[in-house]
Amino acid sequence: MALHIPSPPASGIHVGPVYVHVYGLMYLVGITLAIWIARKRWRAVGGDPALVGDVALWAVPAGIIGGRIYFDLTTPMDIPHVWYGVFAVWSGGLGIWGGVAAGAAAGMWRVRRAGANAARFADAVAPALLVAQAIGRIGNYFNQELFGRPSSLPWALAISPSHRPAGYGQYATFQPTFLYELVFDLALAATLVWLGRHRPIRPPGLFALYVTGYSAFRIFEETLRIDSSEHFLGLRLNFYVAGALTIAGIAWFVHSQRKGKWAAQRTALLAVGAVLAAAAAGCGQAAHPVEAASVPHPPAIASQPHLSKHG
């Protein structure tokens, strides 16, 4: 048997009569850790750490709602076929673009109402958001989702037959794209912290670099992923969204560094508008079927057991 990352044994655990999904648990851990990091960073620049908790009370629910709306609008084929399917975030399905758009809008509103510096606050939370996203990707592993093309690499991920996309049933191991993103998110978070301490970057330059760096990585990631997606001109929808946000992030960073502090608040608001526009652009494209013949055929794992998504 070739080397590979094994499939998870289950997507959750039973706590008495309650079934706890690891996907939701990882989001809870990620959010908690992000709040802790943001509080420390905001306090370090002279801010009131209590503001972080207040912002989170609004931004987190807004981000979950926005992320689910984006998922439902752009991948309706993946909505569970039950009456509550559009709300079933515990089974996977939060679009990062919609989550960032809604969360940023709600968070910016609360920061401005508190009279705090929105640009400095954005820089304080940027690495924390990346850490939260990285932790959330662990949930994708347990849901056996968001993986890439078939692969025979030593770190390829074994996917149980029930979770393989249509047309890929004969393949056993795939690119663990969520793992690539997890590693990249943590590396980018560390880079932003280092830059903030060693380079004179004007706010909200670090947040602009977060938008730029993460979006640029997603351009690469979208060329590997084979999960359900809307397509346009043969490319995945999020490929275009990531490309647009990479350009917007670069322009935002350059503008904020050239114009100085007086432009920071204004560019922060413009960036929120850009994310909202990118999220809106994700609606209404025609679906494109997956083609299995365009990928190489790695060796299958004959003994791979059948595992359901819910254990």
Side-chain angles (χ1 to χ4, degrees):
M1 183 180 296
L3 293 175
H4 65 279
I5 301 173
S7 300
S11 63
I13 57 175
H14 284 282
V15 180
V18 179
Y19 190 76
V20 179
H21 292 263
V22 177
Y23 181 87
L25 182 61
M26 289 300 100
Y27 266 87
L28 180 61
V29 171
I31 291 169
T32 302
L33 188 56
I35 292 173
W36 180 75
I37 294 172
R39 282 174 59 92
K40 290 177 64 69
R41 288 179 54 79
W42 185 233
R43 182 190 293 114
V45 296
D48 180 6
L51 178 61
V52 175
D54 180 54
V55 169
L57 288 175
W58 293 85
V60 171
I64 293 175
I65 293 171
R68 186 61 185 186
I69 291 174
Y70 184 88
F71 173 84
D72 289 341
L73 291 176
T74 59
T75 52
M77 72 291 290
D78 287 345
I79 299 174
H81 298 294
V82 290
W83 68 267
Y84 54 83
V86 294
F87 309 108
V89 295
W90 52 86
S91 62
L94 289 175
I96 184 65
W97 314 119
V100 171
M108 190 69 63
W109 170 69
R110 292 303 298 173
V111 171
R112 291 179 64 83
R113 276 182 62 97
N117 188 303
R120 287 189 178 276
F121 189 87
D123 275 5
V125 303
L129 292 176
L130 284 164
V131 171
Q133 290 172 215
I135 300 299
R137 288 311 183 200
I138 299 175
N140 297 136
Y141 166 71
F142 281 90
N143 274 3
Q144 297 193 59
E145 61 186 1
L146 304 191
F147 48 85
R149 296 194 298 260
S151 172
S152 58
L153 291 169
W155 57 85
L157 173 70
I159 297 295
S160 59
S162 62
H163 290 83
R164 299 171 193 170
Y168 289 92
Q170 73 272 37
Y171 301 99
T173 54
F174 298 78
Q175 292 269 11
T177 50
F178 58 83
L179 177 60
Y180 301 159
E181 184 176 328
L182 184 157
V183 173
F184 179 84
D185 286 348
L186 294 178
L188 182 57
T191 300
L192 293 182
V193 171
W194 186 89
L195 287 173
R197 293 177 177 176
H198 296 87
R199 294 292 184 270
I201 296 178
R202 293 169 172 162
L206 294 180
F207 195 87
L209 290 176
Y210 154 62
V211 173
T212 304
Y214 177 75
S215 300
F217 176 80
R218 282 297 296 267
I219 294 175
F220 160 74
E221 185 179 354
E222 291 299 321
T223 65
L224 296 179
R225 280 172 49 173
I226 58 172
D227 52 293
S228 299
S229 174
E230 304 291 345
H231 284 67
F232 183 69
L233 298 179
L235 294 173
R236 294 167 61 89
L237 171 62
N238 281 334
F239 177 91
Y240 295 102
V241 176
L245 288 176
T246 300
I247 296 172
I250 293 172
W252 183 17
F253 177 77
V254 171
H255 180 69
S256 66
Q257 302 310 295
R258 285 183 175 179
K259 298 299 182 180
K261 294 182 179 179
W262 69 270
Q265 298 282 349
R266 185 183 66 181
T267 52
L269 293 174
L270 288 175
V272 172
V275 175
L276 287 168
C283 305
Q285 302 296 342
H288 184 78
V290 172
E291 293 292 342
S294 62
V295 293
H297 193 309
I301 300 175
S303 61
Q304 178 65 34
H306 179 88
L307 298 176
S308 78
K309 194 169 186 180
H310 302 290

